[in-house]
């Protein structure tokens, strides 16, 4: 019998994050205008008031089609002009975020703008003018300086969480970490001095702190620093072993989601810091590893988005106010992310090539993805749609998607450069900033209250002070006496008091028994304490022996490791000497190759100049040739059209003239025919042969059509052209008719007697007309051969 298949358990529903769904705050967008450098440049941005700026196109730029200037105004939560100090900007923008972080809420602050608009200066600052980042660190440590936990009491795990250790584990962790090389050299807080290169940035005179802080909790600060370069995440605090032979490139990190559905960078280095100097030292070491480059618009242009994360862990004290509660549910973790976005840029202005061009493309793509996400959020909130927000299209938006989903406040500082060259880019930045203000983010919830009595810390401190005072009054430890002796004195005072020993009379039988009883109790207590003390001494002695054995074993192991390391050091020194010799040899070869490369580059530059000169010369010749060909082609076309029109005009005139003359000749032929007909009536009838011949002669029409004939003309190219055969016209009138007519009728007009000459004249004129017509059809190359005209006798 088969067992029934087990049904799959239902999928556990994802717990929803508690949030104030009804309360939302818009994204706070602020604008900061950078001063012009040099100040005599043309300015295209004007600050109207505290919340409005106006952009007007520079000279020579027309925005509208009608040629008029188009001035636009944009409103922000607050506008900071060129005279605003770093402190004024911090008090308005970043100070509320720091207060929320200390109260257990998250915050996101990022700077946005085109390249060279002052984003890095706003975030980091310069010597003497500390930016938002050092001021945030200074305010945090100034607020929690008296309530910080010892180092390694809070410990980070690999899943974006914080654990609490007891004091013994924290002590062992400190000893373990002290033996390892650290990212930051730790010194006591009283002896810490910042490095000279950034000492002026964190030397903030106007210190500020959060007044309402939970005094019954302990705090610890962790910092991490990453950059997003070409859509890959790199840890700027990661210590990579240096391999001089085969150096390894930095490894990119991946994004993961923790149990609370918050995004974090897996494997990112988080350093616990205890002062502003130590935290900024960590930041400065990472800043040196950040990718920057020199472009035509900015000498130190950021080629990546940098994210400096300040994580604040806090846990309440126990009921006695002496130790930290180790329950993970009681630990509150808040985070402030300070983002310095790389500036958007146009390659036609920066003239970027190669890797710079690829970097600019990735920067613009990530900023475009950020804009797309903001547009989708705005559309969902204003239109009530459920459009998917493409957070995963970019690492930047994927990392901070929790902030836009209601995990903290979001604030943006739009940095603009008022110079005229950045006008078009500034317009795009202003439009994006104005759209971002319409996005609302859910307000984060307040942290949970642990439920213990407030004031535990100070009550415990007051108890310890009172105990010390009373011990001093009873002869306790004063001026450096050991604390163990004070404890013993306190135990002695806890014994039963000795009753009065005074005997009033000889019959008193109560005083001595009471005294004996009290002394017996003290003796028993002393014996018990002595036995416990002996047991403790024996156990402590055994522990010491075990500890000595462990220490001896560790010393032996350490000695073996030291010997092995010394051998490794000797071998490494030998290898270093060999590599140094090799380096010197390679440097010498490199010098030779550099000189050879310089010579070749000079020759290459000269040849390129010659080649460019020849190419320019050929280009000029080709352009001249094309212009000449176009000119000649135009002249040929113009002459061809001119001669075609002239030939058509002449042919048309000749046709009209020949038609008129043919009409005249037709009239004359009619008259001649009439005369011939009359003469036939008077003459006797001709023989039958003549009749047959006359019958064969066709009648001539009024307007005879041209008949193909045997007369040809010749062009210059050797082509033959066929013309009309005129002999047909001769056949209409039999030969000798004019002579017969002249002999029989002498009283006729003289023009009829010259029939042969007139026919010859008609033949000549018709041949000329046909020849001109054929010449016009044959083209301008046809050669007209004139036929000499016969004169009438």
């Amino acid at each position: 019998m088969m067992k029934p298949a087990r049904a799959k358990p239902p999928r556990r529903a994802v717990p929803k994050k508690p949030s104030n769904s009804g309360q939302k705050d818009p994204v706070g967008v602020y604008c900061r205008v950078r001063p012009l450098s040099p100040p005599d440049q043309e300015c295209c941005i004007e600050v109207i008031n505290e919340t409005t700026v106006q952009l007007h196109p520079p000279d020579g730029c027309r925005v509208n089609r009608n040629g008029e200037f188009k001035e636009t105004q944009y409103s922000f939560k607050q506008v900071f002009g060129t005279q605003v100090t770093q402190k004024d900007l911090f008090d308005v923008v970043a100070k509320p975020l720091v207060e929320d972080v200390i109260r257990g809420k998250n915050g996101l602050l990022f700077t946005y703008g085109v390249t060279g608009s002052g984003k890095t200066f706003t975030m980091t600052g310069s010597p003497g003018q500390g930016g938002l980042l050092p001021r945030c660190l200074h305010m945090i440590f100034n607020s929690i300086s008296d309530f910080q936990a010892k180092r390694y009491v809070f410990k980070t795990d690999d899943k974006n969480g914080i654990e609490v250790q007891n004091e013994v584990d924290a002590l062992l962790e400190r000893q373990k970490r002290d033996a390892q090389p650290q990212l930051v050299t730790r010194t006591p807080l009283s002896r810490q001095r910042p490095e000279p290169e950034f000492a002026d940035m964190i030397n903030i005179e106007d210190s500020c702190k959060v007044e309402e802080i939970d005094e019954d909790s302990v705090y610890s600060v962790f910092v991490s620093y990453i950059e997003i370069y070409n859509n890959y995440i790199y840890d700027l605090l990661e210590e990579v072993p240096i391999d001089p032979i085969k150096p390894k490139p930095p490894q990119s990190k991946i994004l993961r989601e923790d149990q609370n559905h918050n995004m974090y960078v897996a494997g990112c280095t988080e350093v616990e810091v205890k002062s502003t100097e130590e935290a900024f030292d960590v930041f400065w070491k990472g800043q040196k590893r950040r990718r920057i480059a020199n472009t035509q618009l900015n000498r130190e242009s950021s080629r990546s988005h940098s994210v400096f994360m300040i994580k604040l862990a806090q846990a309440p004290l126990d009921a006695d106010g002496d130790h930290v509660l180790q329950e993970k549910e009681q630990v509150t973790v808040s985070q402030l992310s300070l983002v310095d976005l790389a500036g958007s840029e146009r390659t036609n202005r920066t003239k970027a090539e190669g890797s710079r061009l690829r970097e600019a493309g990735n920067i613009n793509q990530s900023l475009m993805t950020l804009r797309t996400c903001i547009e989708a959020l705005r559309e969902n909130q204003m239109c009530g749609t459920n459009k998917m927000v493409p957070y995963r299209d970019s690492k930047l938006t994927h990392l901070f998607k929790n902030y836009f989903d209601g995990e903290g406040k979001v604030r943006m500082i739009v940095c603009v450069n008022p110079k005229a060259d950045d006008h078009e880019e500034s317009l795009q930045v202003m439009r994006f900033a104005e759209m971002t203000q319409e996005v609302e983010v859910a307000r984060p919830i307040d942290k949970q209250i642990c439920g213990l009595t407030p004031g535990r810390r100070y009550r415990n401190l007051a108890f310890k002070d009172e105990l010390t005072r009373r011990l001093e009054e009873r002869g306790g430890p004063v001026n450096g006496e050991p604390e163990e002796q004070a404890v013993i004195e306190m135990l002695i005072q806890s014994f039963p008091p000795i009753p009065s020993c005074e005997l009033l009379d000889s019959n008193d039988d109560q005083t001595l028994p009471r005294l004996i009883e009290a002394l017996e109790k003290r003796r028993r207590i002393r014996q018990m304490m002595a036995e416990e003390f002996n047991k403790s001494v024996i156990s402590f002695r055994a522990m010491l022996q075990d500890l000595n054995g462990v220490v001896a074993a560790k010393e032996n192991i350490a000695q073996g490791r030291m010997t092995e390391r010394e051998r490794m050091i000797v071998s490494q020194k030998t290898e270093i000497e060999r590599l140094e010799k090799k380096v010197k040899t390679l440097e010498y070869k490199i010098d030779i190759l550099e000189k050879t490369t310089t010579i070749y580059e000079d020759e290459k530059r000269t040849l390129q100049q010659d080649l460019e000169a020849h190419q320019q010369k050929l280009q000029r010749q080709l352009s001249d040739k094309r212009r000449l060909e176009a000119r000649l082609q135009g002249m040929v076309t113009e002459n061809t059209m001119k001669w075609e029109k002239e030939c058509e005009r002449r042919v048309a005139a000749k046709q009209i003239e020949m038609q008129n003359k043919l009409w005249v000749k037709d009239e004359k032929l009619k008259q001649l025919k009439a005369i011939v007909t009359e003469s036939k009536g008077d003459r006797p009838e001709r023989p039958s042969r003549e009749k047959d011949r006359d019958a064969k002669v066709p009648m001539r029409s009024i307007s005879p059509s041209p008949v193909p004939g045997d007369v040809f003309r010749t062009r210059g190219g050797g082509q033959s052209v066929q013309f009309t055969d005129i002999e047909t016209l001769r056949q209409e009138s039999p030969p000798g008719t004019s002579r017969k007519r002249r002999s029989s009728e002498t009283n006729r007009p003289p023009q009829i007697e010259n029939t042969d000459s007139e026919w010859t004249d008609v033949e000549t004129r018709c041949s000329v007309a046909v020849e001109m017509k054929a010449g016009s059809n044959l083209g301008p190359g046809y050669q007209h051969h004139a036929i000499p005209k016969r004169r009438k006798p």
Side-chain angles (χ1 to χ4, degrees):
M1 181 176 177
M2 296 180 61
K3 294 183 179 180
R6 296 178 61 184
K8 293 184 178 180
R11 186 175 180 181
R12 186 174 57 183
V14 177
K16 294 184 178 181
K17 299 179 182 180
S19 61
N20 298 337
S21 58
Q23 298 179 353
K24 292 185 177 181
D25 295 324
V27 176
V29 181
Y30 303 83
C31 179
R32 186 179 192 182
V33 183
R34 172 182 175 173
L36 281 172
S37 177
D40 56 349
Q41 284 186 345
E42 182 183 1
C43 180
C44 65
I45 297 178
E46 180 183 359
V47 179
I48 303 300
N49 51 38
E50 294 183 354
T51 60
T52 308
V53 294
Q54 178 173 310
L55 272 73
H56 55 82
D59 296 339
C61 177
R62 296 291 186 271
V63 177
N64 292 343
R65 294 182 178 179
N66 56 5
E68 297 180 356
F69 287 106
K70 183 179 179 181
E71 297 180 349
T72 55
Q73 291 186 358
Y74 298 93
S75 298
F76 300 93
K77 194 169 184 179
Q78 188 165 344
V79 176
F80 301 94
T82 57
Q83 304 298 327
V84 174
T85 61
Q86 299 276 53
K87 182 182 182 303
D88 298 335
L89 181 67
F90 170 77
D91 291 341
V92 176
V93 180
K95 187 176 179 180
L97 295 179
V98 176
E99 293 175 352
D100 288 344
V101 167
I102 294 179
R103 294 188 179 97
K105 301 177 183 179
N106 298 329
L108 172 63
L109 173 62
F110 60 95
T111 56
Y112 181 82
V114 300
T115 180
S117 58
K119 302 182 297 299
T120 304
F121 172 77
T122 300
M123 186 61 67
T124 307
S126 63
Q129 297 180 353
L132 299 181
L133 190 148
R135 291 180 182 273
C136 290
L137 292 172
H138 187 270
M139 181 175 179
I140 290 174
F141 285 107
N142 195 27
S143 302
I144 66 171
S145 59
D146 298 333
F147 313 109
Q148 291 195 70
K150 293 182 179 180
R151 202 180 295 272
Y152 303 121
V153 170
F154 291 94
K155 182 181 178 182
T156 59
D157 56 10
D158 297 333
K159 299 179 181 179
N160 199 31
I162 299 291
E163 298 176 350
V164 180
Q165 300 186 120
N166 54 36
E167 294 184 359
V168 177
D169 294 337
L171 179 60
L172 294 176
E173 186 75 17
R174 283 196 295 271
Q175 293 177 355
K176 179 181 177 181
R177 295 293 182 92
D178 290 340
Q180 298 177 357
Q182 301 294 335
L183 181 65
V184 181
T185 303
R186 298 187 179 91
T187 56
L189 298 179
S190 59
R191 293 182 294 171
Q192 280 189 352
R193 291 184 180 180
E195 296 185 7
E197 56 184 343
F198 61 82
D200 294 337
M201 293 185 185
I202 61 177
N203 187 12
I204 301 172
E205 297 179 355
D206 303 326
S207 60
C208 55
K209 59 184 297 185
V210 179
E211 298 297 336
E212 298 178 1
I213 187 171
D214 187 5
E215 298 172 348
D216 295 322
S217 298
V218 291
Y219 302 85
S220 186
V221 179
F222 298 85
V223 296
S224 58
Y225 197 16
I226 63 171
E227 71 170 354
I228 303 175
Y229 176 73
N230 288 338
N231 208 23
Y232 289 97
I233 300 177
Y234 296 97
D235 185 5
L236 296 177
L237 303 181
E238 185 178 12
E239 290 293 336
V240 180
I242 300 175
D243 190 355
I245 300 176
K246 189 178 180 181
K248 296 182 180 179
Q251 297 294 323
S252 61
K253 306 296 181 180
I254 61 175
L255 291 176
R256 293 189 182 276
E257 193 175 38
D258 61 6
Q259 60 181 359
N260 296 324
H261 305 286
N262 294 323
M263 304 307 300
Y264 70 98
V265 181
C268 180
T269 304
E270 292 182 338
V271 183
E272 185 178 7
V273 291
K274 294 298 180 183
S275 65
T276 306
E277 293 79 7
E278 187 178 351
F280 202 79
D281 190 14
V282 173
F283 164 76
W284 199 253
K285 282 180 169 56
Q287 185 74 1
K288 292 179 180 179
R289 301 175 183 175
R290 188 183 176 189
R291 291 173 173 88
I292 59 174
N294 183 11
T295 63
Q296 291 193 2
L297 300 182
N298 193 354
R299 185 177 61 184
E300 294 182 357
S301 176
S302 301
R303 313 311 297 169
S304 63
H305 309 301
S306 67
V307 183
F308 187 77
M309 291 176 283
I310 305 172
K311 185 179 291 186
L312 179 65
Q314 50 183 312
L317 296 173
D318 57 5
D320 296 333
D322 196 14
H323 300 288
V324 184
L325 293 177
Q326 297 185 9
E327 288 80 3
K328 198 170 183 179
E329 294 78 11
Q330 297 293 340
V331 180
T332 303
V333 180
S334 56
Q335 180 172 303
L336 175 62
S337 299
L338 304 175
V339 186
D340 182 12
L341 296 177
S344 60
E345 58 185 35
R346 294 187 177 182
T347 54
N348 58 355
R349 293 185 59 198
T350 58
K351 308 298 180 185
E353 296 178 354
S355 59
R356 299 286 89 81
L357 182 61
R358 181 189 175 196
E359 293 167 355
N362 286 307
I363 290 170
N364 294 336
Q365 181 64 33
S366 61
L367 295 177
M368 183 60 66
T369 305
L370 175 62
R371 181 167 186 166
T372 305
C373 294
I374 295 295
E375 289 178 352
L377 286 171
R378 174 175 169 268
E379 182 178 352
N380 291 340
Q381 293 177 3
M382 297 186 67
C383 303
T385 59
N386 194 17
K387 185 178 179 181
M388 187 188 70
V389 183
Y391 289 120
R392 293 179 178 269
D393 291 352
S394 173
K395 293 290 194 302
L396 178 66
T397 54
H398 194 195
L399 179 60
F400 297 116
K401 81 179 202 60
N402 304 106
Y403 289 94
F404 293 102
D405 291 343
E407 287 296 322
K409 288 185 179 179
V410 180
R411 294 198 172 184
M412 180 175 71
I413 301 177
V414 177
C415 300
V416 292
N417 195 338
K419 67 178 182 179
D421 295 338
D422 292 346
H423 175 261
E424 294 184 3
E425 289 88 344
S426 298
L427 278 176
Q428 301 297 328
V429 170
M430 292 294 184
R431 291 168 185 167
F432 170 69
E434 192 174 41
M435 177 184 61
T436 306
Q437 293 182 110
E438 300 176 1
V439 176
E440 294 182 346
V441 179
R443 186 178 299 175
I445 61 173
D446 297 331
K447 70 174 183 178
Q448 299 179 357
I449 301 175
C450 63
L452 297 176
T453 306
R456 302 182 300 277
R457 179 190 293 271
Y458 287 115
R459 191 168 58 251
N460 185 29
L461 293 176
F463 173 74
K464 290 180 179 180
D465 293 340
E466 182 65 20
L467 180 60
T468 304
R469 186 182 63 80
R470 289 186 179 183
L471 288 176
E472 291 177 356
E473 290 179 355
R474 296 181 181 183
V478 181
N479 298 329
E481 290 187 6
E483 187 177 355
E484 291 80 3
Q485 185 177 357
V487 174
I488 294 173
E489 293 292 337
M490 184 177 63
L491 291 174
I492 292 174
Q493 295 294 332
S494 64
F495 286 165
I498 299 176
S500 177
C501 300
E502 184 178 359
L503 295 175
L504 299 177
D505 55 5
S506 60
N507 297 323
D508 188 1
D509 55 354
Q510 296 180 359
T511 302
L512 290 177
R514 285 197 300 267
L515 179 61
I516 293 171
E517 184 180 0
L519 292 176
E520 285 292 336
K521 286 182 179 180
R522 291 172 69 93
R523 186 182 64 79
R524 285 195 298 269
I525 293 173
R526 186 181 294 273
Q527 287 178 355
M528 291 174 59
M529 291 178 64
E531 290 176 359
E532 290 179 359
F533 178 74
N534 292 329
K535 291 179 182 180
S536 300
V537 169
I538 293 171
S539 61
F540 184 69
R541 187 174 297 165
M543 291 175 61
L544 285 178
Q545 290 177 357
D546 295 340
L547 183 61
N548 288 332
V550 173
V551 170
K554 289 184 177 180
E555 286 180 354
N556 294 331
I557 295 173
Q559 188 66 28
R561 289 180 179 177
M562 288 293 293
T563 306
E564 184 179 356
R565 288 184 179 180
E566 286 178 356
R567 288 198 298 267
M568 290 176 61
I569 290 171
V570 172
S571 62
Q572 288 179 358
K573 285 182 178 179
T574 307
E575 183 68 17
I576 289 172
E577 292 177 357
R578 186 184 65 81
L579 291 176
E580 285 179 352
K581 293 180 181 178
K582 187 176 180 180
V583 166
K584 290 180 180 179
T585 306
L586 292 176
E587 287 179 352
Y588 177 72
K589 291 182 179 180
I590 288 172
D591 293 338
I592 296 174
L593 291 175
E594 285 179 351
K595 293 178 182 178
T596 308
T597 303
T598 305
I599 295 172
Y600 284 147
E601 285 180 352
D602 294 339
E603 292 181 357
K604 179 183 176 182
R605 196 178 298 110
T606 305
L607 292 175
Q608 284 181 350
Q609 292 176 357
D610 295 341
L611 180 60
E612 289 176 357
H614 286 301
Q615 288 179 351
Q616 291 177 0
K617 185 177 179 181
L618 288 175
Q619 291 292 337
R620 288 196 297 269
Q621 291 178 356
L622 288 174
S623 61
D624 294 342
K625 183 178 179 182
R626 291 193 188 99
R627 286 197 298 270
L628 183 59
E629 288 179 354
R631 183 178 177 185
L632 291 176
Q633 187 68 25
M635 293 174 63
V636 169
T637 305
E638 183 179 358
N639 291 334
T640 302
M641 295 176 63
K642 184 188 297 183
W643 282 110
E644 286 180 355
K645 291 180 181 179
E646 182 66 21
C647 290
E648 290 177 358
R649 186 185 63 79
R650 291 183 181 182
V651 168
K654 279 294 181 182
Q655 286 180 351
I656 294 171
E657 183 180 357
M658 291 304 297
Q659 287 177 1
N660 294 333
K661 290 183 178 182
L662 286 174
W663 183 80
V664 173
K665 295 301 179 183
D666 287 340
E667 293 297 327
K668 290 181 180 181
L669 287 174
K670 287 180 182 180
Q671 295 177 5
L672 181 61
K673 187 176 181 180
I675 295 172
V676 170
T677 305
E678 291 177 0
S679 62
K680 284 182 180 180
D682 297 338
R683 290 176 58 186
E685 188 177 351
R686 289 183 299 177
S688 61
R689 183 179 299 177
E690 290 181 358
K691 288 181 180 181
D692 295 336
R693 186 181 62 184
D694 294 337
K696 293 178 180 180
V697 176
M699 295 297 292
R700 182 178 180 274
S701 63
I702 298 175
S703 298
S705 60
V707 181
D710 299 326
V711 182
F712 293 87
R713 292 291 179 181
T714 306
R715 288 183 59 181
Q719 297 180 358
S720 297
V721 181
Q722 185 174 358
F723 294 91
T724 306
D725 189 1
I726 310 301
E727 292 296 330
T728 308
L729 298 176
R730 290 175 178 261
Q731 294 177 4
E732 294 180 0
S733 179
T737 303
S738 62
R739 288 192 295 272
K740 291 179 182 180
R741 195 68 181 168
R742 195 168 48 246
S743 60
S744 61
E745 298 180 4
T746 56
N747 56 351
R748 291 292 180 186
Q751 62 271 18
I752 300 176
E753 297 177 354
N754 298 331
T755 307
D756 294 334
S757 62
E758 289 173 359
W759 275 108
T760 306
D761 186 53
V762 170
E763 292 175 3
T764 304
R765 292 181 181 276
C766 289
S767 300
V768 170
V770 173
E771 180 182 359
M772 290 182 65
K773 180 65 175 178
S776 65
N777 294 329
L778 293 174
Y782 173 77
Q783 296 178 358
H784 177 264
H785 300 280
I787 301 175
K789 182 180 178 182
R790 291 185 182 182
R791 289 187 178 182
K792 293 182 180 181

